[in-house]
């Protein structure tokens, strides 16, 4: 924590990315004005966060108070449940293969949001204005948010955490390529008669992934991606029929299923801005990258946005929104965001595609991963932290050459 008074930073948006950014930037010594409504209490999703993200949140004091409400992810499995001619074998990733106890933790969004809210309310460095930004005004060395309640806030940098339809991004003149998928996700939780053994299973189907993620006890969360019409039909079923459909899809892997009350639908889309910072605005979270929920990437990537941003603004304390600082942020985030966005969209498209070469490529990729342990280890390490898989291959090689 620095003793020097730093220039003010505005954070727009009170989803998980904005809350984490506000808290972490305040702890780094910056005065923060957080702008956005009360934290959402009705989000029934859960978020699988990988160990690097968990360690970062732990450093902010978020994890210990909620640990008992989270479930470890020790095994992650991909099952090709398509009925196509070309299918791949089941691929199983075990954290123990790369010397870890778990890949990460699955956290109910309501639990994570509540914990972030409690910490922010106790954080003297954060002033929270519970309203919306209606307009952004730009000057040479400041940026001002004009707010719905008639007040305004000025800072050196604005962190845009205002989600997929970010108005801060648009005001900064950053264009975005978007694509709406003919897919939606049905989200719910369910209990089951057989234990999940801390295993998450992603079933790949012709309409998208069907992903079960463990919760504490004999409960799991489900993200069922299908066409919007199918999702509407599923969401309208009574509990007994929906439970039966979930159990069928899971090939009774977890025994008898009983869905719990409360279902939500999320339409799926993809979006990639042309830049990740410009005109005193830095994009984080879904303002910076939108893609379908495959392989638990979204908020993990959002947390890496926050980590990189803190590193850069801490080296530019005189003017964290300067051109040099924003250019560094844009440069640093590009490879990671492009790689994750590209991989997730490609995998999703290869599932939907009826084209044989696309199915062949996906199946061949998964078959090689399933059968070749060193490649699987590389993939798992890269999944946790970009660059760490390759670094580990090089250090193994160095070790072998030394011997
Ligand atoms: C079904 C599903 C499952 C997922 N599972 C996972 C997972 O397992 N692991 C993972 O890492 N990721 C997962 N994700 C992705 C993850 O949920 C998102 O990355 C994350 O929620 C994005 O958070 P955010 O804060 O960027 O955006 P949002 O949560 O959309 O928050 C945006 C905020 O901005 C506010 N806002 C909007 N306009 C304004 C304004 N003008 N002024 C002020 N505030 C404004 C809104 O009120 C809101 O508070 C999943 C996504 C889906 C859809």
């Amino acid at each position: 924590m620095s003793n020097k008074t730093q220039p003010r930073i505005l954070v727009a948006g009170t989803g998980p990315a904005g809350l984490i950014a506000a808290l972490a930037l305040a702890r780094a010594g910056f005065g923060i004005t957080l702008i956005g409504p009360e934290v959402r209490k009705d989000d029934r999703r859960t978020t699988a966060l990988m160990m690097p993200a968990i360690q970062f949140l732990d450093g902010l004091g978020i994890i210990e108070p909620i640990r008992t409400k989270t479930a470890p992810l020790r095994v992650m499995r991909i099952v090709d449940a398509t009925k196509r001619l070309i299918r791949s074998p089941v691929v199983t990733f075990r954290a123990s293969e790369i010397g870890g106890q778990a890949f990460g933790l699955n956290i109910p969004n309501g639990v994570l949001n509540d914990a972030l809210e409690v910490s922010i309310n106790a954080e003297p460095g954060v002033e929270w204005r519970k309203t919306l930004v209606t307009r952004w005004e730009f000057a040479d060395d400041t940026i001002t948010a004009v707010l719905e309640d008639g007040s305004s806030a000025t800072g050196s940098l604005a962190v845009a955490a205002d989600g997929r339809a970010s108005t801060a991004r648009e005001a900064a003149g950053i264009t975005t390529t978007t694509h709406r998928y003919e897919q939606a996700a049905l989200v719910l939780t369910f209990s089951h008669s057989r234990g999940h053994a801390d295993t998450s299973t992603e079933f790949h189907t012709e309409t998208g992934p069907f992903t079960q993620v463990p919760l504490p006890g004999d409960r799991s969360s489900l993200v069922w991606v299908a066409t919007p019409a199918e999702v509407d039909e599923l969401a309208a079923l009574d509990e007994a029929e929906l439970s039966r459909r979930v159990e069928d899809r899971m090939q009774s892997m977890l025994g008898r299923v009983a869905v719990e009350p409360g279902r939500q639908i999320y339409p799926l889309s993809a979006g990639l801005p042309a830049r990740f910072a410009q005109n005193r605005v830095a994009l984080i979270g879904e303002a910076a990258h939108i893609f379908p929920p495959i392989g638990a990437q979204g908020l993990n990537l959002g947390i890496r946005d926050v980590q990189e941003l803190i590193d850069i603004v801490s080296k530019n304390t005189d003017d964290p929104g300067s051109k040099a600082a924003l250019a560094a942020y844009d440069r640093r985030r590009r490879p990671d965001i492009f790689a994750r966005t590209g991989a997730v969209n490609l995998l999703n498209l290869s599932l939907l595609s009826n084209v044989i070469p696309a199915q062949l490529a996906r199946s061949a990729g998964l078959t090689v991963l399933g059968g070749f342990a060193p490649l699987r280890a590389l993939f798992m390490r890269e999944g946790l932290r970009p660059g760490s898989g390759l670094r580990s291959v090089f250090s193994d090689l160095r070790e072998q050459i030394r011997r």
Side-chain angles (χ1 to χ4, degrees):
M1 172 98 95
S2 148
N3 292 325
K4 201 176 134 210
T5 310
Q6 317 279 27
R8 238 181 147 67
I9 294 180
L10 314 180
V11 177
T14 41
L19 296 172
I20 294 166
L23 187 62
L25 284 163
R27 298 273 171 86
F30 291 91
I32 302 300
T33 304
L34 173 64
I35 307 155
E38 292 275 4
V39 166
R40 215 182 132 184
K41 302 284 180 195
D42 65 341
D43 191 336
R44 300 197 59 86
R45 290 174 295 177
T46 68
T47 301
L49 288 178
M50 299 300 130
M51 272 317 171
I54 292 294
Q55 280 150 7
F56 181 68
L57 292 181
D58 202 24
L60 296 174
I62 298 297
I63 297 300
E64 274 324 308
I66 63 170
R67 198 175 280 275
T68 55
K69 297 178 181 163
T70 70
L73 297 164
R74 299 191 204 283
V75 179
M76 296 172 90
R77 210 165 26 193
I78 299 177
V79 176
D80 188 339
T82 61
K83 294 185 180 64
R84 292 190 173 124
L85 212 56
I86 301 157
R87 271 181 291 165
S88 43
V90 174
V91 184
T92 305
F93 303 100
R94 290 174 207 285
S96 56
E97 273 190 82
I98 51 170
Q101 292 208 334
F103 291 111
L105 298 177
N106 189 33
I107 311 178
N109 284 20
V111 169
L112 178 62
N113 285 343
D114 280 352
L116 288 166
E117 184 181 37
V118 167
S119 294
I120 284 179
N121 286 336
E123 178 57 54
V126 180
E127 181 209 359
W128 187 346
R129 309 264 192 101
K130 292 183 178 165
T131 180
L132 294 173
V133 180
T134 52
R135 198 173 75 246
W136 291 94
E137 292 177 354
F138 299 86
D140 278 350
D141 50 6
T142 57
I143 178 162
T144 297
V146 179
L147 310 184
E148 205 173 58
D149 65 5
S151 67
S152 64
T154 297
S156 151
L157 168 70
V159 178
D162 49 352
R164 50 183 63 196
S166 169
T167 49
R169 183 180 67 207
E170 196 186 336
I174 301 174
T175 53
T176 307
T177 315
T178 54
H179 171 74
R180 202 180 163 82
Y181 282 113
E182 267 309 295
Q183 286 171 301
L186 173 69
V187 172
L188 54 83
T189 51
F190 64 98
S191 59
H192 33 82
S193 60
R194 240 179 254 152
H196 49 52
D198 303 330
T199 301
S200 169
T201 305
E202 191 165 277
F203 293 84
H204 286 181
T205 79
E206 287 87 348
T207 53
F210 169 107
T211 310
Q212 164 269 330
V213 195
L215 284 169
D218 289 339
R219 293 174 70 236
S220 290
S221 63
L222 176 69
V223 178
W224 188 342
V225 176
T227 64
E230 275 174 288
V231 163
D232 284 344
E233 187 230 313
L234 289 166
L237 295 175
D238 64 35
E239 274 172 20
E241 179 57 16
L242 185 55
S243 302
R244 199 185 59 73
R245 297 269 197 111
V246 173
E247 190 178 321
D248 278 359
R249 264 294 149 116
M250 296 204 65
Q251 300 155 15
S252 297
M253 205 177 252
L254 295 177
R256 291 302 303 272
V257 161
V259 301
E260 296 177 358
R263 305 161 194 183
Q264 288 180 335
I265 296 178
Y266 291 83
L268 302 191
S269 58
L272 194 60
R275 299 182 60 74
F276 301 106
Q278 182 166 285
N279 288 333
R280 299 203 165 267
V281 174
L283 312 182
I284 66 164
E286 286 213 326
H289 35 77
I290 312 159
F291 45 72
I294 302 183
Q297 293 291 324
L299 190 57
N300 285 285
L301 194 56
I303 289 175
R304 294 204 290 279
D305 298 335
V306 174
Q307 290 176 296
E308 294 274 22
L309 186 66
I310 288 178
D311 188 46
I312 287 165
V313 296
S314 300
K315 290 176 182 142
N316 291 270
T317 48
D318 291 340
D319 185 0
S322 66
K323 279 202 168 110
L326 293 189
Y329 180 71
D330 180 57
R331 213 170 34 245
R332 291 256 289 268
R333 292 313 293 138
R334 265 171 194 273
D336 189 16
I337 295 178
F338 279 21
R340 303 288 148 163
T341 307
V344 170
N345 284 311
L346 208 66
L347 188 56
N348 191 38
L349 286 171
S350 78
L351 281 179
L352 302 180
S353 173
N354 281 319
V355 178
I356 297 284
Q359 292 172 28
L360 256 178
R362 185 178 63 85
S363 164
L366 288 175
T367 305
V368 172
L369 265 183
F372 188 45
L375 188 64
R376 214 166 43 242
L378 172 82
F379 186 81
M380 286 187 273
R381 290 201 175 95
E382 280 298 318
L384 292 178
R385 183 180 281 135
S388 61
L390 286 175
R391 267 198 304 280
S392 134
V393 167
F394 288 134
S395 77
D396 283 357
L397 269 177
R398 262 201 310 273
E399 185 60 26
Q400 281 172 24
I401 290 167
R402 233 197 342 259
R403 277 201 229 122

